Amino acid sequence: MGNITIEVVRDDNIEPCRALCNELMAFQQSKATMLPEVFDAMNFDTRMKRSYEQAPESQVIVAKDDGVPIGYVFSTIDQLDERSRNAYPDWAPRGGKGFYPDWDDLPAKIGCLNNLYVRDGYRAMKLGSKLFDMSIDWLESSPHVDIIFIYVSNGNDAALNFYLSRGFTYSHEVFGGFIKAVYKFSRK
């Protein structure tokens, strides 16, 4: 291991995350206990790039080893309206609740940690925790974000436990249990 750096993407070039995002989708598929074939349609272009381009506000942070990407976190601040509240992405299995719970007082702006991934050989370095903390700090720095959601693919119990151990609370099953949603209120 060489020189580890962590950089916030400021020029909208998220292409360095392509291989990492595709690795994350393959990892999630390998862990899935429900409908692993759904992940066949998930990749950088259909998940991260599309979400990045559609989000009103977003942040990508990349960890690098001598300039080579080894991990990243991707977060968004989304505007919630009636259409987006009940939306089903093309890749999503039909059935059950969507991304958001049926709360009457759900705020109009939602923070979301979308992807967090660190290559296996680097996980013991606590890079995941560092990227997580940087993402949450950014989301909580927005004056309009009162709640943050994270969506965990089925079978990825280690990730679910990681988020629960960091103050998130289980919310609901998304798309009939394909994903589990956790949330926390922003500390302001």
Side-chain angles (χ1 to χ4, degrees), residues 17-183:
C17 296
R18 178 177 290 277
L20 294 169
C21 181
N22 290 338
E23 288 174 29
L24 172 60
M25 297 303 124
F27 176 79
Q28 290 173 332
Q29 185 173 35
S30 75
K31 294 290 186 187
T33 57
M34 176 184 188
L35 301 171
E37 65 277 7
V38 171
F39 287 96
D40 290 341
M42 292 188 200
N43 58 48
F44 174 80
D45 292 314
T46 62
R47 296 276 286 120
M48 184 177 176
K49 185 176 179 183
R50 185 175 294 162
S51 295
Y52 183 84
E53 290 171 348
Q54 293 175 352
E57 297 177 62
S58 58
Q59 181 190 61
V60 175
I61 304 170
V62 182
K64 297 179 180 180
D65 183 356
D66 282 334
V68 176
I70 57 169
Y72 77 104
V73 64
F74 164 50
S75 306
T76 58
I77 298 172
D78 299 314
Q79 182 68 38
L80 196 60
D81 57 25
E82 203 54 43
R83 187 185 70 71
S84 61
R85 186 178 182 135
N86 299 307
Y88 271 74
D90 295 341
W91 53 262
R94 299 300 185 248
K97 288 182 187 176
F99 285 114
Y100 303 106
D102 297 331
W103 302 343
D104 291 334
D105 59 348
L106 202 57
K109 288 209 176 193
I110 304 287
C112 184
L113 190 158
N114 292 283
N115 298 157
L116 172 60
Y117 181 72
V118 175
R119 285 197 170 134
D120 192 23
Y122 296 90
R123 292 185 186 144
M125 300 174 67
K126 306 280 186 204
L127 286 173
S129 293
K130 176 76 172 164
L131 293 169
F132 170 84
D133 290 342
M134 292 174 73
S135 171
I136 298 301
D137 288 347
W138 177 74
L139 290 166
E140 290 185 331
S141 72
S142 171
H144 305 292
V145 172
D146 294 321
I147 192 166
I148 300 166
F149 279 92
I150 303 174
Y151 302 99
V152 181
S153 295
N154 74 88
N156 196 351
D157 295 336
L160 180 63
N161 291 331
F162 175 84
Y163 298 129
L164 292 173
S165 74
R166 282 158 176 77
F168 280 76
T169 301
Y170 176 81
S171 172
H172 66 285
E173 290 193 352
V174 179
F175 310 137
F178 185 71
I179 296 170
K180 295 184 183 326
V182 297
Y183 75 96

